[in-house]
Amino acid sequence: MKQIIIPVVIFLLTLHSCKKDKEEIPVIAGDLNLEMVHWEFNPALKIQLQIDPANNMKYGKDSIDINQDGNYDLFFYLKLFIDRKETDRLDYGTYYGKLVAKNGLEISTKTETYYIGLGQTNDISWVDTLKYEDKVSSRNNWSDPINTVYNFMWVLPARPTMSNGCWFDIFDDERYIGIRMKINSEYKYGWLKVNQDSDRNIEIQSYAIEK
């Protein structure tokens, strides 16, 4: 009986050890391992801004099917109010960028607490900026699957006590957006490699996610 049980126990312990080692492989921004699938845009996917003369603004949008299942999971929306001549808007010349995640995709976020008066505060969650080799799989703050709209930046904050967002001071520099998606009760982590040019336009260069 022992000759049968001992090999089975050793085999199960080996499987458990292999599974544990696999789960401990970190997902690093900009890095690839054998457990990841990688897509690269050539040329880079750039959000093209079009003029909307009726609203004195430029706007653009695009989307990505992260897991290539035929359903778009991540939507980029950018807009720029460009002229005050024919409008009373206070946000002319300002820029807004936001992400919308769908189909269970979550985005790495950064929460900011700001003062709203009378001793009270409020929170806003921004799309976080990760640098090369930041550990994606150890991030603590992720977007809510219910509230899926998150901002890159506001050039004109909604309140003077708020910041302009995580992407406001980044020009011609590569950053990463952390992503994850739950598949069969297990999170699959990944990243998007993004560049923001001097005109605050967003380019998505590549992305990767665990298999």
Side-chain angles (χ1 to χ4, degrees):
M1 189 67 173
K2 290 182 180 180
Q3 293 178 342
I4 298 176
I5 294 176
I6 292 175
V8 170
V9 171
I10 294 175
F11 176 71
L12 291 175
L13 288 174
T14 302
L15 284 179
H16 177 74
S17 176
C18 291
K19 183 178 180 181
K20 184 177 180 181
D21 292 341
K22 180 180 178 180
E23 291 175 348
E24 291 178 351
I25 296 176
V27 174
I28 306 297
D31 192 23
L32 297 170
N33 59 54
L34 296 177
E35 300 300 322
M36 302 185 75
V37 180
H38 177 241
W39 290 270
E40 188 154 352
F41 294 102
N42 187 18
L45 177 61
K46 188 171 184 177
I47 312 302
Q48 301 294 333
L49 296 179
Q50 302 177 1
I51 296 178
D52 178 4
N55 295 301
N56 289 328
M57 61 179 285
K58 293 181 180 179
Y59 72 95
K61 61 182 179 179
D62 217 319
S63 55
I64 299 176
D65 178 5
I66 293 294
N67 56 359
Q68 299 293 303
D69 65 351
N71 298 307
Y72 289 103
D73 308 299
L74 192 59
F75 296 79
F76 293 80
Y77 294 91
L78 308 177
K79 61 181 178 180
L80 169 67
F81 293 102
I82 56 177
D83 195 356
R84 195 181 183 182
K85 293 179 181 179
E86 300 178 4
T87 181
D88 293 329
R89 296 189 69 104
L90 296 178
D91 51 2
Y92 76 99
T94 62
Y95 187 93
Y96 300 85
K98 66 181 180 181
L99 280 183
V100 176
K102 296 185 177 182
N103 306 319
L105 183 71
E106 298 178 28
I107 309 163
S108 176
T109 62
K110 182 177 182 179
T111 301
E112 174 188 351
T113 301
Y114 60 94
Y115 181 69
I116 60 175
L118 300 177
Q120 297 181 333
T121 60
N122 207 347
D123 292 338
I124 183 172
S125 292
W126 302 99
V127 177
D128 201 3
T129 58
L130 307 185
K131 294 182 179 180
Y132 177 65
E133 292 189 336
D134 280 351
K135 191 174 180 181
V136 178
S137 50
S138 64
R139 310 301 293 183
N140 293 322
N141 296 327
W142 293 91
S143 60
D144 188 336
I146 298 176
N147 180 21
T148 59
V149 181
Y150 290 84
N151 293 290
F152 277 105
M153 74 185 91
W154 291 337
V155 175
L156 182 65
R159 288 180 176 270
T161 54
M162 291 175 59
S163 76
N164 300 89
C166 300
W167 294 79
F168 180 71
D169 294 321
I170 299 174
F171 298 106
D172 296 315
D173 196 6
E174 293 175 352
R175 288 290 191 273
Y176 294 83
I177 300 173
I179 57 174
R180 71 179 186 179
M181 181 177 284
K182 184 175 284 189
I183 300 176
N184 297 327
S185 73
E186 181 182 355
Y187 278 115
K188 305 293 184 179
Y189 290 88
W191 47 261
L192 289 89
K193 184 179 180 181
V194 177
N195 182 71
Q196 181 173 254
D197 64 24
S198 57
D199 292 326
R200 299 193 186 279
N201 209 337
I202 300 293
E203 287 185 352
I204 300 92
Q205 299 176 343
S206 62
Y207 68 95
I209 192 166
E210 291 179 299
K211 300 176 183 177

